[in-house]
Amino acid sequence: MLRLKRLGLAVAAVFVSLELLLQLGALCLFWLYAPGNTAPAPDTRGEILCIGDSYTFGVGASAPAFSYPGQLQTRLDEHSLALRVVNAGFPGQHSADLARRLSAQISAQTRAVCVLVGTNDAWRRPAPLPPTEVGAVAAPTAAPGFEWTWRTGRLLELLSRFTWFSWEQQAGSPPQAKPSNPAVSPQSRERIAEVVAGFELIVAAGMTVGTRPPVLPRDSMAPPQGWQDSIWKRVRAGDVEGAVKTAQEFVDAHPGSPSALQSLAQVATRAGMRDLALTTVAQLESRFEETRDPAAEEALCIALADVGRTEDAHRAAKARLADEPGSVGAAFVFLKTGFSLGSFQEAKEVLPRAIDLMGTNRPWQTASVLADFVRMTHEEDPERAAQLLVASYLIEPSIETARIVTLKIERSCPAAMIVRVLRGLDLPESKSIRDLLTLLEDEEDQQWRETLTGHLELILHAAQTHGAKVVVLSYPFHQPEVEDTQRAFAAQHGLPFLAIRERFGHELTTLERADLFVADGHCNDRGYGIMAEEVANVLVPMLRD
């Protein structure tokens, strides 16, 4: 009995010592890597919250500071208003996304909410959001700091999931293929047939698929295998703030890991934590400058693209491809940023190699760059554009992407041409095929306008609950159905409506389109400056009353 008691005391002492050691190590890491080695003072200024899609995020701007929220901050500072502008925009968001997450972004300091949304509703057609889902996402915190948590348990949990010798596999490489199941369902056979047909169409268009092995740089400091799944699983579940916390834990546990820093920058951007995202990218830049590590170089170009530093990302991807032509990550970033910046010729030259690298290894990326390529080249060869659009959809069915692209190319590549290509493949009937045919043959659905209005109502209610004013912006381009819906909603509730499009129309009587927009239709720095000026003209007198 005495031996058992002594053994128990010894085990307890080991655990207590281990816990104290882990707490001390975590505290040292926090003090080493916290910006300035001191916790930032809380920002007590009032806030202007800008919510929306890529036109709020700042796609096309040379840097986040030149997005319209970034330039709005400069204008408010010039008027000596002690207000902090928060950019909570993100590309692709529709009104349901904004309404669902607003209560997680708004605070007692929010004085006004600037809303620019609607284009993605017209393309993506979100389902009406039940009021019970509004505010379901937990409020984001500031940049994570040191927490007193039981770290021994966390260590045991990680050890239980650790795959020994996993450091021998390159970071980011796909998992080993599982044994195939001989009992393939009819639905699976249909899907396989669709994917194969998609790749056959690419080959028919004169491109090779998947013959070059992609180069995946090894991150020797990466967390154990499978760590990224725990982050993106949270993102897919809608818990973006939880994903940020998980990513921060991996960065804290593996300081200096380029892939961990990349993931943190990506999910922080999605959560609207722009300061944390930009700080993380700055750490990646320092890491690459110090080490010239290929893993840091590739992670940097991906993270730069995600935080909206499009020109920097394009240059970084080009440099990475010069160093390593087989870099699949850099090829993808180079194509996506090249399309945004209008570097069409360079993108066309890189596309065949990128398709060959990504191929069946990264089908969603293959589908994405093909959709962009169709938008670049549809006027040159409409028939080929129709084939590649169908190929893109069959590889990764996304009715939202198909809707966007078909609307963009309808003048030179009508829906009937795309239907002919699709029916000519003689594929087994499936839900994805039916969805695409429905889109191409029947596009008369106005339900999305009522849904957009309903979500704007939810946004207004959440803002008013916090005592914040609401300002509604139009887009800088002509989109009558969206703008009519925005204008009617603002008029109904007596809200300021900023007709940004009218201001741009006036400017374009003396300026060229390229003076205000980048090639893909987003604003450039000057265009976003005009948006900021229009918003400031309304906010300054409103907030001084």
Side-chain angles (χ1 to χ4, degrees):
M1 182 65 69
L2 184 59
R3 285 184 178 179
L4 288 175
K5 186 175 181 181
R6 288 176 176 173
L7 180 61
L9 289 173
V11 171
V14 169
F15 272 92
V16 170
S17 301
L18 178 59
E19 179 65 23
L20 289 173
L21 183 62
L22 290 172
Q23 294 287 359
L24 180 61
L27 184 60
C28 291
L29 283 174
F30 169 70
W31 283 106
L32 279 172
Y33 290 96
N37 294 336
T38 57
D43 195 332
T44 58
R45 294 178 294 170
E47 287 183 354
I48 305 299
L49 180 63
C50 300
I51 61 175
D53 50 32
S54 54
Y55 286 84
T56 298
F57 180 79
V59 170
S62 60
F66 294 104
S67 63
Y68 104 71
Q71 298 194 59
L72 177 60
Q73 180 72 73
T74 302
R75 293 185 177 276
L76 296 183
D77 291 344
E78 291 171 352
H79 285 87
S80 301
L81 287 175
L83 296 167
R84 182 170 70 99
V85 179
V86 177
N87 185 347
F90 191 75
Q93 288 195 126
H94 50 59
S95 59
D97 297 324
L98 268 58
R100 185 182 292 112
R101 298 191 56 212
L102 179 58
S103 64
Q105 297 165 333
I106 201 168
S107 70
Q109 283 74 43
T110 304
R111 300 279 304 281
V113 180
C114 299
V115 185
L116 176 55
V117 70
T119 288
N120 290 315
D121 287 68
W123 290 335
R124 297 178 60 186
R125 311 294 171 86
L129 184 68
T132 53
E133 285 193 32
V134 179
V137 181
T141 60
F146 177 78
E147 294 182 1
W148 289 98
T149 59
W150 186 43
R151 300 181 188 277
T152 303
R154 174 65 175 160
L155 175 63
L156 293 174
E157 179 189 359
L158 287 173
L159 287 175
S160 69
R161 293 184 297 173
F162 183 73
T163 304
W164 296 102
F165 305 107
S166 62
W167 56 81
E168 294 180 357
Q169 184 174 354
Q170 291 183 346
S173 58
Q176 297 296 317
K178 298 179 181 179
S180 59
N181 184 355
V184 180
S185 67
Q187 293 81 7
S188 297
R189 290 194 190 97
E190 292 173 357
R191 182 72 193 102
I192 291 169
E194 292 174 9
V195 172
V196 170
F199 285 116
E200 287 177 349
L201 284 175
I202 299 174
V203 174
M207 302 178 197
T208 54
V209 180
T211 62
R212 299 188 187 198
V215 174
L216 302 168
R218 181 172 179 268
D219 180 358
S220 59
M221 306 181 73
Q225 186 179 357
W227 64 278
Q228 289 173 317
D229 292 340
S230 61
I231 296 174
W232 296 103
K233 183 178 180 180
R234 286 181 175 270
V235 173
R236 289 190 293 272
D239 183 14
V240 188
E241 285 71 34
V244 172
K245 185 175 181 180
T246 302
Q248 183 70 58
E249 289 174 355
F250 284 121
V251 168
D252 291 342
H254 301 269
S257 164
S259 54
L261 289 168
Q262 172 198 320
S263 294
L264 177 57
Q266 289 176 302
V267 294
T269 301
R270 282 160 176 76
M273 302 180 187
R274 296 298 295 275
D275 291 344
L276 175 59
L278 294 173
T279 299
T280 305
V281 171
Q283 293 178 27
L284 257 178
E285 288 179 302
S286 297
R287 166 84 180 160
F288 174 61
E289 289 299 324
E290 291 171 3
T291 64
R292 294 290 163 177
D293 178 13
E297 184 179 28
E298 186 144 327
L300 177 60
C301 68
I302 295 170
L304 285 169
D306 248 53
V307 301
R309 290 174 54 182
T310 308
E311 292 183 355
D312 292 337
H314 191 68
R315 283 192 293 269
K318 187 173 185 177
R320 172 68 182 147
L321 286 172
D323 293 339
E324 177 48 74
S327 170
V328 63
F332 180 71
V333 170
F334 185 80
L335 287 171
K336 300 297 286 186
T337 55
F339 175 72
S340 294
L341 296 171
S343 303
F344 293 161
Q345 190 55 45
E346 283 186 316
K348 289 180 191 177
E349 292 171 0
V350 171
L351 181 86
R353 181 181 3 138
I355 295 294
D356 205 7
L357 288 169
M358 293 183 292
T360 56
N361 294 315
R362 300 191 177 186
W364 75 269
Q365 290 186 335
T366 301
S368 178
V369 297
L370 275 178
D372 286 345
F373 185 71
V374 168
R375 293 167 68 181
M376 280 190 277
T377 62
H378 65 95
E379 294 179 347
E380 302 171 11
D381 190 341
E383 186 73 27
R384 185 185 191 218
Q387 291 177 338
L388 293 179
L389 173 58
V390 172
S392 171
Y393 179 83
L394 295 178
I395 293 168
E396 189 73 15
S398 169
I399 205 66
E400 298 167 359
T401 301
R403 180 179 287 113
I404 292 171
V405 178
T406 52
L407 286 172
K408 292 285 187 181
I409 69 174
E410 60 184 351
R411 290 185 180 178
S412 60
C413 190
M417 182 184 294
I418 304 171
V419 170
R420 187 179 72 250
V421 170
L422 181 59
R423 292 193 182 280
L425 295 172
D426 196 24
L427 293 171
E429 185 178 356
S430 66
K431 182 180 183 303
S432 57
I433 297 294
R434 289 194 301 271
D435 287 346
L436 182 57
L437 287 172
T438 299
L439 168 70
L440 295 170
E441 295 174 346
D442 180 16
E443 193 56 34
E444 299 301 321
D445 179 15
Q446 299 299 315
Q447 181 63 38
W448 66 269
R449 298 181 65 176
E450 297 178 11
T451 301
L452 172 59
T453 300
H455 292 157
L456 289 172
E457 298 273 2
L458 294 175
I459 291 169
L460 176 62
H461 176 72
Q464 290 178 336
T465 300
H466 287 78
K469 301 178 184 295
V470 173
V471 176
V472 182
L473 288 70
S474 82
Y475 287 90
F477 53 87
H478 192 50
Q479 196 172 15
E481 291 180 324
V482 172
E483 186 170 328
D484 289 348
T485 306
Q486 296 168 323
R487 189 185 296 272
F489 169 77
Q492 180 183 353
H493 296 280
L495 305 175
F497 177 73
L498 303 187
I500 302 294
R501 177 189 59 81
E502 295 178 5
R503 170 67 188 277
F504 271 72
H506 174 73
E507 296 291 338
L508 288 172
T509 60
T510 57
L511 298 174
E512 297 294 329
R513 184 183 182 280
D515 293 327
L516 301 178
F517 295 95
V518 296
D520 72 349
H522 288 92
C523 296
N524 58 21
D525 293 354
R526 187 173 180 179
Y528 284 125
I530 291 174
M531 292 180 65
E533 180 183 335
E534 291 293 302
V535 177
N537 289 342
V538 169
L539 284 182
V540 170
M542 175 193 294
L543 298 174
R544 279 183 171 163
D545 290 344

Short mmCIF file of all heavy atoms in Angstrom, two decimals, residues 310-347:
data_model
loop_
_atom_site.label_atom_id
_atom_site.label_comp_id
_atom_site.label_asym_id
_atom_site.label_seq_id
_atom_site.Cartn_x
_atom_site.Cartn_y
_atom_site.Cartn_z
N THR A 310 -2.89 41.95 -53.90
CA THR A 310 -2.92 41.24 -55.18
C THR A 310 -1.65 41.43 -55.98
O THR A 310 -1.08 40.47 -56.52
CB THR A 310 -4.14 41.71 -56.00
OG1 THR A 310 -5.31 41.60 -55.18
CG2 THR A 310 -4.32 40.86 -57.23
N GLU A 311 -1.17 42.67 -56.10
CA GLU A 311 0.03 42.92 -56.90
C GLU A 311 1.25 42.25 -56.28
O GLU A 311 2.08 41.66 -56.99
CB GLU A 311 0.25 44.43 -57.03
CG GLU A 311 -0.81 45.13 -57.88
CD GLU A 311 -0.51 46.60 -58.04
OE1 GLU A 311 0.45 47.09 -57.42
OE2 GLU A 311 -1.25 47.28 -58.78
N ASP A 312 1.36 42.33 -54.94
CA ASP A 312 2.49 41.68 -54.26
C ASP A 312 2.42 40.16 -54.44
O ASP A 312 3.44 39.50 -54.63
CB ASP A 312 2.48 42.02 -52.77
CG ASP A 312 2.80 43.48 -52.51
OD1 ASP A 312 3.43 44.11 -53.37
OD2 ASP A 312 2.40 44.01 -51.45
N ALA A 313 1.20 39.61 -54.37
CA ALA A 313 1.03 38.17 -54.53
C ALA A 313 1.42 37.74 -55.94
O ALA A 313 2.06 36.69 -56.13
CB ALA A 313 -0.42 37.78 -54.25
N HIS A 314 1.06 38.54 -56.93
CA HIS A 314 1.39 38.21 -58.32
C HIS A 314 2.90 38.20 -58.52
O HIS A 314 3.45 37.28 -59.15
CB HIS A 314 0.73 39.22 -59.25
CG HIS A 314 0.77 38.84 -60.69
ND1 HIS A 314 0.08 37.77 -61.20
CD2 HIS A 314 1.46 39.38 -61.75
CE1 HIS A 314 0.31 37.67 -62.50
NE2 HIS A 314 1.13 38.63 -62.86
N ARG A 315 3.58 39.22 -57.97
CA ARG A 315 5.04 39.27 -58.09
C ARG A 315 5.69 38.10 -57.35
O ARG A 315 6.64 37.48 -57.85
CB ARG A 315 5.57 40.60 -57.53
CG ARG A 315 5.36 41.78 -58.46
CD ARG A 315 6.15 42.98 -57.99
NE ARG A 315 5.64 43.50 -56.73
CZ ARG A 315 4.71 44.45 -56.63
NH1 ARG A 315 4.20 44.98 -57.74
NH2 ARG A 315 4.30 44.88 -55.47
N ALA A 316 5.18 37.78 -56.15
CA ALA A 316 5.75 36.68 -55.37
C ALA A 316 5.55 35.34 -56.08
O ALA A 316 6.45 34.49 -56.10
CB ALA A 316 5.12 36.64 -53.98
N ALA A 317 4.36 35.15 -56.69
CA ALA A 317 4.10 33.91 -57.41
C ALA A 317 4.99 33.79 -58.64
O ALA A 317 5.49 32.71 -58.97
CB ALA A 317 2.63 33.84 -57.80
N LYS A 318 5.20 34.91 -59.33
CA LYS A 318 6.07 34.90 -60.51
C LYS A 318 7.50 34.54 -60.12
O LYS A 318 8.17 33.75 -60.80
CB LYS A 318 6.03 36.27 -61.19
CG LYS A 318 6.76 36.33 -62.52
CD LYS A 318 6.54 37.67 -63.20
CE LYS A 318 7.16 37.71 -64.59
NZ LYS A 318 6.89 39.00 -65.28
N ALA A 319 7.97 35.10 -59.00
CA ALA A 319 9.32 34.79 -58.52
C ALA A 319 9.43 33.32 -58.12
O ALA A 319 10.43 32.65 -58.39
CB ALA A 319 9.68 35.69 -57.34
N ARG A 320 8.38 32.82 -57.48
CA ARG A 320 8.39 31.42 -57.06
C ARG A 320 8.43 30.49 -58.27
O ARG A 320 9.14 29.48 -58.29
CB ARG A 320 7.15 31.14 -56.20
CG ARG A 320 6.92 29.66 -55.85
CD ARG A 320 7.98 29.14 -54.92
NE ARG A 320 7.77 27.74 -54.63
CZ ARG A 320 8.74 26.86 -54.41
NH1 ARG A 320 10.01 27.24 -54.44
NH2 ARG A 320 8.46 25.61 -54.14
N LEU A 321 7.66 30.81 -59.32
CA LEU A 321 7.66 29.99 -60.52
C LEU A 321 9.01 30.05 -61.24
O LEU A 321 9.42 29.07 -61.88
CB LEU A 321 6.55 30.44 -61.47
CG LEU A 321 5.12 30.06 -61.05
CD1 LEU A 321 4.11 30.73 -61.96
CD2 LEU A 321 4.94 28.55 -61.04
N ALA A 322 9.68 31.20 -61.13
CA ALA A 322 11.02 31.29 -61.72
C ALA A 322 11.99 30.38 -60.97
O ALA A 322 12.87 29.75 -61.57
CB ALA A 322 11.51 32.73 -61.68
N ASP A 323 11.82 30.31 -59.64
CA ASP A 323 12.67 29.44 -58.83
C ASP A 323 12.30 27.97 -59.01
O ASP A 323 13.18 27.10 -59.01
CB ASP A 323 12.56 29.81 -57.34
CG ASP A 323 13.14 31.18 -57.04
OD1 ASP A 323 13.96 31.66 -57.84
OD2 ASP A 323 12.76 31.77 -56.01
N GLU A 324 10.98 27.71 -59.12
CA GLU A 324 10.51 26.34 -59.21
C GLU A 324 9.30 26.27 -60.15
O GLU A 324 8.16 26.53 -59.76
CB GLU A 324 10.11 25.82 -57.82
CG GLU A 324 9.54 24.41 -57.81
CD GLU A 324 10.39 23.44 -58.62
OE1 GLU A 324 11.47 23.06 -58.15
OE2 GLU A 324 9.96 23.07 -59.75
N PRO A 325 9.53 25.94 -61.43
CA PRO A 325 8.43 25.90 -62.40
C PRO A 325 7.34 24.89 -62.06
O PRO A 325 6.23 24.99 -62.56
CB PRO A 325 9.13 25.50 -63.71
CG PRO A 325 10.55 25.90 -63.51
CD PRO A 325 10.84 25.69 -62.06
N GLY A 326 7.65 23.92 -61.19
CA GLY A 326 6.66 22.91 -60.82
C GLY A 326 5.84 23.27 -59.60
O GLY A 326 5.10 22.42 -59.09
N SER A 327 5.94 24.51 -59.14
CA SER A 327 5.19 24.92 -57.94
C SER A 327 3.71 25.06 -58.27
O SER A 327 3.29 26.01 -58.93
CB SER A 327 5.74 26.24 -57.39
OG SER A 327 4.88 26.74 -56.39
N VAL A 328 2.89 24.15 -57.79
CA VAL A 328 1.47 24.17 -58.12
C VAL A 328 0.75 25.30 -57.39
O VAL A 328 -0.14 25.95 -57.95
CB VAL A 328 0.82 22.80 -57.79
CG1 VAL A 328 0.90 22.48 -56.31
CG2 VAL A 328 -0.62 22.75 -58.26
N GLY A 329 1.17 25.58 -56.14
CA GLY A 329 0.54 26.67 -55.40
C GLY A 329 0.80 28.02 -56.04
O GLY A 329 -0.10 28.85 -56.18
N ALA A 330 2.04 28.25 -56.46
CA ALA A 330 2.39 29.52 -57.10
C ALA A 330 1.70 29.67 -58.45
O ALA A 330 1.28 30.76 -58.82
CB ALA A 330 3.90 29.63 -57.26
N ALA A 331 1.57 28.57 -59.19
CA ALA A 331 0.89 28.63 -60.48
C ALA A 331 -0.56 29.05 -60.32
O ALA A 331 -1.08 29.89 -61.07
CB ALA A 331 0.97 27.27 -61.18
N PHE A 332 -1.22 28.50 -59.31
CA PHE A 332 -2.62 28.86 -59.05
C PHE A 332 -2.75 30.33 -58.68
O PHE A 332 -3.60 31.05 -59.21
CB PHE A 332 -3.18 27.97 -57.94
CG PHE A 332 -4.62 28.25 -57.61
CD1 PHE A 332 -5.63 27.92 -58.48
CD2 PHE A 332 -4.95 28.85 -56.41
CE1 PHE A 332 -6.96 28.17 -58.19
CE2 PHE A 332 -6.28 29.12 -56.09
CZ PHE A 332 -7.29 28.77 -56.99
N VAL A 333 -1.89 30.80 -57.77
CA VAL A 333 -1.94 32.20 -57.35
C VAL A 333 -1.62 33.12 -58.53
O VAL A 333 -2.27 34.15 -58.73
CB VAL A 333 -0.95 32.46 -56.19
CG1 VAL A 333 -0.81 33.96 -55.91
CG2 VAL A 333 -1.42 31.74 -54.93
N PHE A 334 -0.64 32.76 -59.33
CA PHE A 334 -0.25 33.58 -60.47
C PHE A 334 -1.42 33.75 -61.44
O PHE A 334 -1.67 34.86 -61.96
CB PHE A 334 0.94 32.95 -61.19
CG PHE A 334 1.50 33.78 -62.31
CD1 PHE A 334 2.35 34.85 -62.04
CD2 PHE A 334 1.17 33.51 -63.62
CE1 PHE A 334 2.86 35.62 -63.07
CE2 PHE A 334 1.68 34.27 -64.66
CZ PHE A 334 2.52 35.34 -64.38
N LEU A 335 -2.16 32.67 -61.69
CA LEU A 335 -3.28 32.75 -62.62
C LEU A 335 -4.42 33.58 -62.03
O LEU A 335 -5.00 34.43 -62.72
CB LEU A 335 -3.78 31.34 -62.95
CG LEU A 335 -2.88 30.53 -63.86
CD1 LEU A 335 -3.36 29.08 -63.95
CD2 LEU A 335 -2.82 31.13 -65.25
N LYS A 336 -4.77 33.35 -60.77
CA LYS A 336 -5.90 34.07 -60.17
C LYS A 336 -5.60 35.56 -60.06
O LYS A 336 -6.46 36.40 -60.38
CB LYS A 336 -6.23 33.49 -58.79
CG LYS A 336 -6.62 32.03 -58.78
CD LYS A 336 -7.90 31.77 -59.55
CE LYS A 336 -9.14 32.23 -58.84
NZ LYS A 336 -10.38 31.84 -59.54
N THR A 337 -4.40 35.91 -59.61
CA THR A 337 -4.06 37.33 -59.50
C THR A 337 -3.85 37.96 -60.86
O THR A 337 -4.18 39.13 -61.07
CB THR A 337 -2.80 37.52 -58.63
OG1 THR A 337 -1.73 36.74 -59.18
CG2 THR A 337 -3.05 37.07 -57.20
N GLY A 338 -3.31 37.19 -61.80
CA GLY A 338 -3.12 37.71 -63.16
C GLY A 338 -4.43 38.07 -63.81
O GLY A 338 -4.54 39.09 -64.51
N PHE A 339 -5.46 37.26 -63.57
CA PHE A 339 -6.77 37.57 -64.12
C PHE A 339 -7.31 38.86 -63.51
O PHE A 339 -7.84 39.72 -64.22
CB PHE A 339 -7.74 36.42 -63.84
CG PHE A 339 -9.14 36.71 -64.28
CD1 PHE A 339 -9.47 36.74 -65.63
CD2 PHE A 339 -10.13 36.98 -63.36
CE1 PHE A 339 -10.76 37.02 -66.04
CE2 PHE A 339 -11.42 37.27 -63.76
CZ PHE A 339 -11.75 37.30 -65.10
N SER A 340 -7.15 39.02 -62.19
CA SER A 340 -7.64 40.24 -61.53
C SER A 340 -6.92 41.48 -62.03
O SER A 340 -7.53 42.54 -62.20
CB SER A 340 -7.45 40.12 -60.01
OG SER A 340 -8.27 39.12 -59.47
N LEU A 341 -5.62 41.35 -62.29
CA LEU A 341 -4.82 42.50 -62.70
C LEU A 341 -4.84 42.75 -64.21
O LEU A 341 -4.29 43.75 -64.67
CB LEU A 341 -3.37 42.30 -62.24
CG LEU A 341 -3.16 42.23 -60.72
CD1 LEU A 341 -1.73 41.80 -60.40
CD2 LEU A 341 -3.46 43.58 -60.07
N GLY A 342 -5.45 41.86 -64.96
CA GLY A 342 -5.50 42.04 -66.40
C GLY A 342 -4.27 41.57 -67.14
O GLY A 342 -4.09 41.91 -68.32
N SER A 343 -3.43 40.76 -66.48
CA SER A 343 -2.24 40.21 -67.15
C SER A 343 -2.63 38.97 -67.93
O SER A 343 -2.18 37.84 -67.65
CB SER A 343 -1.15 39.89 -66.11
OG SER A 343 -0.82 41.03 -65.36
N PHE A 344 -3.51 39.15 -68.92
CA PHE A 344 -4.11 38.02 -69.60
C PHE A 344 -3.09 37.20 -70.39
O PHE A 344 -3.13 35.97 -70.40
CB PHE A 344 -5.22 38.48 -70.54
CG PHE A 344 -6.42 39.05 -69.82
CD1 PHE A 344 -7.32 39.85 -70.49
CD2 PHE A 344 -6.62 38.80 -68.48
CE1 PHE A 344 -8.42 40.38 -69.83
CE2 PHE A 344 -7.71 39.32 -67.81
CZ PHE A 344 -8.62 40.11 -68.49
N GLN A 345 -2.17 37.88 -71.07
CA GLN A 345 -1.22 37.16 -71.91
C GLN A 345 -0.33 36.25 -71.08
O GLN A 345 -0.10 35.09 -71.42
CB GLN A 345 -0.37 38.15 -72.72
CG GLN A 345 0.47 37.48 -73.80
CD GLN A 345 -0.36 36.63 -74.75
OE1 GLN A 345 -1.43 37.04 -75.21
NE2 GLN A 345 0.14 35.43 -75.05
N GLU A 346 0.19 36.78 -69.96
CA GLU A 346 1.01 35.96 -69.07
C GLU A 346 0.21 34.78 -68.54
O GLU A 346 0.71 33.66 -68.45
CB GLU A 346 1.53 36.80 -67.91
CG GLU A 346 2.70 37.71 -68.23
CD GLU A 346 3.25 38.39 -66.99
OE1 GLU A 346 2.43 38.86 -66.16
OE2 GLU A 346 4.47 38.44 -66.84
N ALA A 347 -1.05 35.04 -68.17
CA ALA A 347 -1.89 33.97 -67.63
C ALA A 347 -2.13 32.88 -68.67
O ALA A 347 -2.08 31.68 -68.35
CB ALA A 347 -3.21 34.55 -67.15
#
